[in-house]
Amino acid sequence: MNGDHSERISQEGECREAGKYGLLDEASAVAQRVLEEIEALAGTTACKSVQLVRLKKWAQENEYWFDDRNEFGDFFDRGSENEVYLSTNGKEIIKLNDFRYSDDNLTSFFERIKAHNQYFPDCIYRMIGLGENSDGKVCAVLVQRFVHSVRIATKEEVHDEFIRLGFYPEDNGEYYTNGQHDIFDAVEGNVLMGDDGHIYFIDTIIYPSDTGGYETYCSLSPRHSNSR
């Protein structure tokens, strides 16, 4: 990847962001249509695999599909759901999110990204397309600014910041809720102390409250499933 590639990704992100959420809303609408079709035909909301096939086709037809991961920059890290790249300009992190935590359909993924941007506006996600990770899984391509951090935030700092944001701990601090959303996985490495003295929640899992998010998270999180 070179500077031209980095600039192209930035330009594509800007032109695909018409409206409040841009491409995220477009992709969400495609997935929602599939959900409604499957629910009407089969009476089930379990349609994740069909949604992924349809989203890939839609992205390819509309030039939202990335064929070459080299465009994203240098491989940086791999988490439970994200394959992470650092752009050559050092200003952006590009995440290939494999929809792991969306369970049986993709609705919760799109809701989660919007909720993240609402609660953590200093490190928002922009969706710029779709592509495949190194495992061949269809992924959302998300861009987030690179946070210059001095260290990982402590548990006490994370707790205090959640309280400031109007969230309170549940299940001995396993997750935090404000009654509207439950936020999981605010653990080591996912919350940073910036060199500006601010705390940045760069990677959490969010579900609407009272929708079984705790059980879903525990069933899909390697941290929980590996301990069983």
Side-chain angles (χ1 to χ4, degrees):
M1 178 178 175
N2 56 36
D4 292 338
H5 284 141
S6 178
E7 183 178 354
R8 186 177 79 82
I9 287 176
S10 179
Q11 289 173 343
E12 288 179 346
E14 290 174 3
C15 72
R16 292 172 183 176
E17 287 187 273
K20 186 173 183 180
Y21 293 108
L23 186 61
L24 187 74
D25 275 340
E26 292 184 49
S28 177
V30 174
Q32 182 63 29
R33 287 195 294 271
V34 174
L35 173 60
E36 292 171 357
E37 291 171 10
I38 297 298
E39 192 169 16
L41 289 171
T44 179
T45 60
C47 60
K48 182 177 179 179
S49 60
V50 180
Q51 288 174 316
L52 292 175
V53 170
R54 193 78 63 85
L55 277 171
K56 179 177 181 178
K57 182 174 185 293
W58 168 79
Q60 290 173 328
E61 290 175 345
N62 290 276
E63 299 184 352
Y64 296 155
W65 183 260
F66 287 91
D67 287 305
D68 186 2
R69 289 189 300 277
N70 289 323
E71 291 189 70
F72 303 137
D74 296 323
F75 176 79
F76 184 72
D77 196 8
R78 180 68 181 266
S80 62
E81 62 172 344
N82 290 311
E83 192 168 276
V84 184
Y85 295 80
L86 176 63
S87 66
T88 53
N89 62 19
K91 296 180 179 179
E92 295 175 324
I93 291 290
I94 300 170
K95 298 181 179 180
L96 274 61
N97 185 294
D98 67 5
F99 303 103
R100 177 189 184 100
Y101 290 100
S102 60
D103 200 14
D104 65 354
N105 72 73
L106 302 182
T107 301
S108 61
F109 168 80
F110 296 105
E111 293 178 344
R112 165 193 168 189
I113 299 301
K114 292 179 181 180
H116 171 95
N117 290 350
Q118 172 189 341
Y119 295 124
F120 311 122
D122 290 335
C123 50
I124 64 171
Y125 285 117
R126 293 184 293 115
M127 184 174 178
I128 62 169
L130 292 103
E132 290 182 352
N133 64 14
S134 57
D135 293 330
K137 294 181 178 179
V138 175
C139 296
V141 181
L142 305 173
V143 176
Q144 188 178 51
R145 81 176 181 90
F146 180 79
V147 173
H148 292 276
S149 63
V150 293
R151 58 178 172 80
I152 294 170
T154 67
K155 290 180 65 174
E156 292 74 19
E157 289 168 338
V158 171
H159 172 83
D160 291 346
E161 184 66 9
F162 269 131
I163 297 300
R164 187 186 73 79
L165 292 171
F167 287 79
Y168 56 89
E170 287 283 359
D171 195 32
N172 197 31
E174 177 66 28
Y175 66 99
Y176 285 76
T177 185
N178 64 356
Q180 181 179 2
H181 289 101
D182 302 338
I183 301 183
F184 301 83
D185 217 29
V187 296
E188 183 174 319
N190 290 343
V191 188
L192 305 177
M193 174 62 73
D195 59 7
D196 56 2
H198 294 142
I199 291 179
Y200 293 89
F201 291 80
I202 61 170
D203 193 7
T204 62
I205 311 300
I206 304 175
Y207 292 107
S209 300
D210 301 321
T211 60
Y214 181 73
E215 291 75 17
T216 301
Y217 170 73
C218 288
S219 69
L220 297 174
S221 169
R223 187 161 63 92
H224 283 268
S225 58
N226 290 340
S227 64
R228 293 181 177 181

mmCIF file of all heavy atoms in Angstrom, residues 197-226:
data_model
loop_
_atom_site.group_PDB
_atom_site.id
_atom_site.type_symbol
_atom_site.label_atom_id
_atom_site.label_comp_id
_atom_site.label_asym_id
_atom_site.label_seq_id
_atom_site.Cartn_x
_atom_site.Cartn_y
_atom_site.Cartn_z
ATOM 1 N N GLY A 197 -5.077 12.815 27.742
ATOM 2 C CA GLY A 197 -5.705 12.661 29.048
ATOM 3 C C GLY A 197 -7.142 12.178 29.001
ATOM 4 O O GLY A 197 -7.780 12.019 30.041
ATOM 5 N N HIS A 198 -7.675 11.916 27.801
ATOM 6 C CA HIS A 198 -9.037 11.426 27.656
ATOM 7 C C HIS A 198 -9.046 9.908 27.506
ATOM 8 O O HIS A 198 -8.076 9.315 27.013
ATOM 9 C CB HIS A 198 -9.718 12.065 26.445
ATOM 10 C CG HIS A 198 -9.942 13.534 26.587
ATOM 11 N ND1 HIS A 198 -9.805 14.429 25.548
ATOM 12 C CD2 HIS A 198 -10.293 14.277 27.667
ATOM 13 C CE1 HIS A 198 -10.055 15.646 25.964
ATOM 14 N NE2 HIS A 198 -10.352 15.585 27.255
ATOM 15 N N ILE A 199 -10.174 9.296 27.902
ATOM 16 C CA ILE A 199 -10.336 7.848 27.775
ATOM 17 C C ILE A 199 -11.082 7.544 26.487
ATOM 18 O O ILE A 199 -12.096 8.186 26.173
ATOM 19 C CB ILE A 199 -11.089 7.280 28.994
ATOM 20 C CG1 ILE A 199 -10.193 7.382 30.237
ATOM 21 C CG2 ILE A 199 -11.511 5.843 28.764
ATOM 22 C CD1 ILE A 199 -10.838 6.877 31.498
ATOM 23 N N TYR A 200 -10.592 6.559 25.750
ATOM 24 C CA TYR A 200 -11.168 6.201 24.459
ATOM 25 C C TYR A 200 -11.612 4.736 24.462
ATOM 26 O O TYR A 200 -10.794 3.837 24.670
ATOM 27 C CB TYR A 200 -10.150 6.420 23.343
ATOM 28 C CG TYR A 200 -9.796 7.875 23.129
ATOM 29 C CD1 TYR A 200 -8.752 8.464 23.837
ATOM 30 C CD2 TYR A 200 -10.516 8.653 22.234
ATOM 31 C CE1 TYR A 200 -8.430 9.806 23.651
ATOM 32 C CE2 TYR A 200 -10.211 9.995 22.044
ATOM 33 C CZ TYR A 200 -9.167 10.561 22.752
ATOM 34 O OH TYR A 200 -8.867 11.876 22.565
ATOM 35 N N PHE A 201 -12.904 4.538 24.241
ATOM 36 C CA PHE A 201 -13.458 3.190 24.109
ATOM 37 C C PHE A 201 -13.372 2.817 22.626
ATOM 38 O O PHE A 201 -14.250 3.151 21.839
ATOM 39 C CB PHE A 201 -14.910 3.160 24.595
ATOM 40 C CG PHE A 201 -15.061 3.352 26.073
ATOM 41 C CD1 PHE A 201 -14.997 4.622 26.644
ATOM 42 C CD2 PHE A 201 -15.267 2.263 26.912
ATOM 43 C CE1 PHE A 201 -15.134 4.808 28.015
ATOM 44 C CE2 PHE A 201 -15.409 2.434 28.283
ATOM 45 C CZ PHE A 201 -15.338 3.711 28.838
ATOM 46 N N ILE A 202 -12.299 2.135 22.249
ATOM 47 C CA ILE A 202 -12.060 1.885 20.832
ATOM 48 C C ILE A 202 -12.738 0.611 20.324
ATOM 49 O O ILE A 202 -12.898 0.436 19.114
ATOM 50 C CB ILE A 202 -10.551 1.825 20.525
ATOM 51 C CG1 ILE A 202 -9.885 0.678 21.301
ATOM 52 C CG2 ILE A 202 -9.883 3.153 20.841
ATOM 53 C CD1 ILE A 202 -8.468 0.400 20.866
ATOM 54 N N ASP A 203 -13.131 -0.278 21.241
ATOM 55 C CA ASP A 203 -13.678 -1.555 20.767
ATOM 56 C C ASP A 203 -14.501 -2.212 21.868
ATOM 57 O O ASP A 203 -13.947 -2.858 22.758
ATOM 58 C CB ASP A 203 -12.538 -2.480 20.338
ATOM 59 C CG ASP A 203 -13.013 -3.683 19.541
ATOM 60 O OD1 ASP A 203 -14.212 -3.731 19.216
ATOM 61 O OD2 ASP A 203 -12.195 -4.554 19.243
ATOM 62 N N THR A 204 -15.797 -2.046 21.811
ATOM 63 C CA THR A 204 -16.692 -2.685 22.781
ATOM 64 C C THR A 204 -17.827 -3.373 22.035
ATOM 65 O O THR A 204 -18.010 -3.186 20.839
ATOM 66 C CB THR A 204 -17.287 -1.663 23.769
ATOM 67 O OG1 THR A 204 -18.074 -0.711 23.038
ATOM 68 C CG2 THR A 204 -16.192 -0.927 24.537
ATOM 69 N N ILE A 205 -18.594 -4.168 22.770
ATOM 70 C CA ILE A 205 -19.776 -4.838 22.220
ATOM 71 C C ILE A 205 -20.995 -4.205 22.857
ATOM 72 O O ILE A 205 -21.072 -4.089 24.082
ATOM 73 C CB ILE A 205 -19.760 -6.356 22.515
ATOM 74 C CG1 ILE A 205 -18.406 -6.969 22.149
ATOM 75 C CG2 ILE A 205 -20.898 -7.048 21.781
ATOM 76 C CD1 ILE A 205 -18.030 -6.823 20.698
ATOM 77 N N ILE A 206 -21.963 -3.802 22.046
ATOM 78 C CA ILE A 206 -23.148 -3.102 22.549
ATOM 79 C C ILE A 206 -24.412 -3.805 22.060
ATOM 80 O O ILE A 206 -24.533 -4.121 20.872
ATOM 81 C CB ILE A 206 -23.170 -1.637 22.087
ATOM 82 C CG1 ILE A 206 -21.880 -0.918 22.506
ATOM 83 C CG2 ILE A 206 -24.384 -0.904 22.639
ATOM 84 C CD1 ILE A 206 -21.770 0.511 21.993
ATOM 85 N N TYR A 207 -25.331 -4.046 22.990
ATOM 86 C CA TYR A 207 -26.647 -4.587 22.645
ATOM 87 C C TYR A 207 -27.729 -3.721 23.291
ATOM 88 O O TYR A 207 -27.504 -3.159 24.375
ATOM 89 C CB TYR A 207 -26.818 -6.019 23.173
ATOM 90 C CG TYR A 207 -25.944 -7.056 22.515
ATOM 91 C CD1 TYR A 207 -24.855 -7.607 23.192
ATOM 92 C CD2 TYR A 207 -26.210 -7.505 21.226
ATOM 93 C CE1 TYR A 207 -24.053 -8.572 22.602
ATOM 94 C CE2 TYR A 207 -25.423 -8.471 20.630
ATOM 95 C CZ TYR A 207 -24.343 -8.988 21.323
ATOM 96 O OH TYR A 207 -23.555 -9.935 20.720
ATOM 97 N N PRO A 208 -28.888 -3.615 22.650
ATOM 98 C CA PRO A 208 -29.997 -2.943 23.325
ATOM 99 C C PRO A 208 -30.352 -3.691 24.609
ATOM 100 O O PRO A 208 -30.289 -4.932 24.658
ATOM 101 C CB PRO A 208 -31.143 -3.031 22.298
ATOM 102 C CG PRO A 208 -30.466 -3.203 20.981
ATOM 103 C CD PRO A 208 -29.244 -4.029 21.272
ATOM 104 N N SER A 209 -30.700 -2.969 25.648
ATOM 105 C CA SER A 209 -31.059 -3.602 26.918
ATOM 106 C C SER A 209 -32.319 -4.447 26.760
ATOM 107 O O SER A 209 -33.169 -4.194 25.908
ATOM 108 C CB SER A 209 -31.286 -2.536 27.991
ATOM 109 O OG SER A 209 -30.122 -1.773 28.199
ATOM 110 N N ASP A 210 -32.416 -5.471 27.597
ATOM 111 C CA ASP A 210 -33.599 -6.350 27.654
ATOM 112 C C ASP A 210 -33.838 -7.099 26.342
ATOM 113 O O ASP A 210 -34.975 -7.378 25.968
ATOM 114 C CB ASP A 210 -34.850 -5.545 28.021
ATOM 115 C CG ASP A 210 -34.717 -4.834 29.361
ATOM 116 O OD1 ASP A 210 -34.141 -5.444 30.281
ATOM 117 O OD2 ASP A 210 -35.166 -3.683 29.470
ATOM 118 N N THR A 211 -32.731 -7.420 25.623
ATOM 119 C CA THR A 211 -32.874 -8.223 24.400
ATOM 120 C C THR A 211 -32.034 -9.493 24.467
ATOM 121 O O THR A 211 -31.754 -10.108 23.438
ATOM 122 C CB THR A 211 -32.455 -7.418 23.156
ATOM 123 O OG1 THR A 211 -31.078 -7.012 23.287
ATOM 124 C CG2 THR A 211 -33.343 -6.192 22.963
ATOM 125 N N GLY A 212 -31.619 -9.873 25.682
ATOM 126 C CA GLY A 212 -30.814 -11.086 25.833
ATOM 127 C C GLY A 212 -29.363 -10.904 25.435
ATOM 128 O O GLY A 212 -28.680 -11.871 25.093
ATOM 129 N N GLY A 213 -28.882 -9.664 25.472
ATOM 130 C CA GLY A 213 -27.520 -9.390 25.054
ATOM 131 C C GLY A 213 -26.467 -10.099 25.888
ATOM 132 O O GLY A 213 -25.446 -10.540 25.361
ATOM 133 N N TYR A 214 -26.718 -10.238 27.180
ATOM 134 C CA TYR A 214 -25.739 -10.891 28.054
ATOM 135 C C TYR A 214 -25.525 -12.334 27.632
ATOM 136 O O TYR A 214 -24.391 -12.798 27.498
ATOM 137 C CB TYR A 214 -26.199 -10.826 29.507
ATOM 138 C CG TYR A 214 -25.225 -11.474 30.471
ATOM 139 C CD1 TYR A 214 -24.019 -10.846 30.783
ATOM 140 C CD2 TYR A 214 -25.507 -12.700 31.057
ATOM 141 C CE1 TYR A 214 -23.123 -11.438 31.662
ATOM 142 C CE2 TYR A 214 -24.615 -13.299 31.935
ATOM 143 C CZ TYR A 214 -23.427 -12.663 32.227
ATOM 144 O OH TYR A 214 -22.531 -13.266 33.089
ATOM 145 N N GLU A 215 -26.615 -13.059 27.412
ATOM 146 C CA GLU A 215 -26.503 -14.460 26.999
ATOM 147 C C GLU A 215 -25.854 -14.571 25.626
ATOM 148 O O GLU A 215 -25.026 -15.459 25.384
ATOM 149 C CB GLU A 215 -27.883 -15.127 26.981
ATOM 150 C CG GLU A 215 -28.532 -15.337 28.346
ATOM 151 C CD GLU A 215 -29.085 -14.053 28.946
ATOM 152 O OE1 GLU A 215 -29.256 -13.058 28.189
ATOM 153 O OE2 GLU A 215 -29.335 -14.035 30.161
ATOM 154 N N THR A 216 -26.227 -13.670 24.705
ATOM 155 C CA THR A 216 -25.637 -13.690 23.370
ATOM 156 C C THR A 216 -24.140 -13.432 23.440
ATOM 157 O O THR A 216 -23.342 -14.139 22.814
ATOM 158 C CB THR A 216 -26.299 -12.629 22.465
ATOM 159 O OG1 THR A 216 -27.696 -12.901 22.372
ATOM 160 C CG2 THR A 216 -25.698 -12.656 21.071
ATOM 161 N N TYR A 217 -23.758 -12.427 24.195
ATOM 162 C CA TYR A 217 -22.344 -12.096 24.327
ATOM 163 C C TYR A 217 -21.551 -13.265 24.901
ATOM 164 O O TYR A 217 -20.492 -13.632 24.376
ATOM 165 C CB TYR A 217 -22.175 -10.861 25.206
ATOM 166 C CG TYR A 217 -20.738 -10.595 25.588
ATOM 167 C CD1 TYR A 217 -19.825 -10.104 24.646
ATOM 168 C CD2 TYR A 217 -20.281 -10.845 26.880
ATOM 169 C CE1 TYR A 217 -18.499 -9.880 24.987
ATOM 170 C CE2 TYR A 217 -18.960 -10.621 27.226
ATOM 171 C CZ TYR A 217 -18.083 -10.147 26.284
ATOM 172 O OH TYR A 217 -16.774 -9.935 26.620
ATOM 173 N N CYS A 218 -22.060 -13.858 25.968
ATOM 174 C CA CYS A 218 -21.348 -14.969 26.609
ATOM 175 C C CYS A 218 -21.207 -16.163 25.669
ATOM 176 O O CYS A 218 -20.188 -16.855 25.670
ATOM 177 C CB CYS A 218 -22.067 -15.392 27.889
ATOM 178 S SG CYS A 218 -21.901 -14.218 29.250
ATOM 179 N N SER A 219 -22.223 -16.390 24.833
ATOM 180 C CA SER A 219 -22.178 -17.548 23.925
ATOM 181 C C SER A 219 -21.214 -17.337 22.767
ATOM 182 O O SER A 219 -20.701 -18.297 22.190
ATOM 183 C CB SER A 219 -23.579 -17.839 23.383
ATOM 184 O OG SER A 219 -24.016 -16.812 22.495
ATOM 185 N N LEU A 220 -20.943 -16.075 22.426
ATOM 186 C CA LEU A 220 -20.112 -15.782 21.256
ATOM 187 C C LEU A 220 -18.706 -15.300 21.602
ATOM 188 O O LEU A 220 -17.820 -15.331 20.745
ATOM 189 C CB LEU A 220 -20.805 -14.716 20.391
ATOM 190 C CG LEU A 220 -22.154 -15.106 19.793
ATOM 191 C CD1 LEU A 220 -22.792 -13.911 19.088
ATOM 192 C CD2 LEU A 220 -22.000 -16.261 18.816
ATOM 193 N N SER A 221 -18.497 -14.870 22.829
ATOM 194 C CA SER A 221 -17.196 -14.336 23.222
ATOM 195 C C SER A 221 -16.210 -15.461 23.519
ATOM 196 O O SER A 221 -16.488 -16.326 24.360
ATOM 197 C CB SER A 221 -17.345 -13.463 24.471
ATOM 198 O OG SER A 221 -16.076 -13.151 25.016
ATOM 199 N N PRO A 222 -15.049 -15.492 22.864
ATOM 200 C CA PRO A 222 -14.039 -16.512 23.170
ATOM 201 C C PRO A 222 -13.614 -16.474 24.626
ATOM 202 O O PRO A 222 -13.293 -17.507 25.216
ATOM 203 C CB PRO A 222 -12.872 -16.131 22.245
ATOM 204 C CG PRO A 222 -13.491 -15.369 21.129
ATOM 205 C CD PRO A 222 -14.625 -14.607 21.763
ATOM 206 N N ARG A 223 -13.614 -15.298 25.202
ATOM 207 C CA ARG A 223 -13.214 -15.163 26.603
ATOM 208 C C ARG A 223 -14.114 -15.958 27.528
ATOM 209 O O ARG A 223 -13.670 -16.517 28.538
ATOM 210 C CB ARG A 223 -13.226 -13.677 26.996
ATOM 211 C CG ARG A 223 -12.662 -13.401 28.382
ATOM 212 C CD ARG A 223 -12.286 -11.927 28.493
ATOM 213 N NE ARG A 223 -13.452 -11.075 28.347
ATOM 214 C CZ ARG A 223 -14.184 -10.663 29.378
ATOM 215 N NH1 ARG A 223 -13.899 -11.057 30.599
ATOM 216 N NH2 ARG A 223 -15.201 -9.851 29.192
ATOM 217 N N HIS A 224 -15.405 -16.045 27.171
ATOM 218 C CA HIS A 224 -16.368 -16.788 27.978
ATOM 219 C C HIS A 224 -16.460 -18.249 27.558
ATOM 220 O O HIS A 224 -16.446 -19.144 28.389
ATOM 221 C CB HIS A 224 -17.741 -16.133 27.904
ATOM 222 C CG HIS A 224 -17.853 -14.916 28.747
ATOM 223 N ND1 HIS A 224 -18.303 -14.924 30.037
ATOM 224 C CD2 HIS A 224 -17.545 -13.617 28.476
ATOM 225 C CE1 HIS A 224 -18.273 -13.704 30.541
ATOM 226 N NE2 HIS A 224 -17.828 -12.881 29.616
ATOM 227 N N SER A 225 -16.560 -18.487 26.253
ATOM 228 C CA SER A 225 -16.730 -19.857 25.776
ATOM 229 C C SER A 225 -15.524 -20.733 26.102
ATOM 230 O O SER A 225 -15.653 -21.926 26.369
ATOM 231 C CB SER A 225 -16.984 -19.876 24.256
ATOM 232 O OG SER A 225 -15.928 -19.261 23.556
ATOM 233 N N ASN A 226 -14.314 -20.125 26.113
ATOM 234 C CA ASN A 226 -13.108 -20.905 26.403
ATOM 235 C C ASN A 226 -13.000 -21.278 27.878
ATOM 236 O O ASN A 226 -12.262 -22.179 28.242
ATOM 237 C CB ASN A 226 -11.851 -20.124 26.008
ATOM 238 C CG ASN A 226 -11.719 -19.991 24.510
ATOM 239 O OD1 ASN A 226 -12.314 -20.740 23.761
ATOM 240 N ND2 ASN A 226 -10.920 -19.027 24.075
#
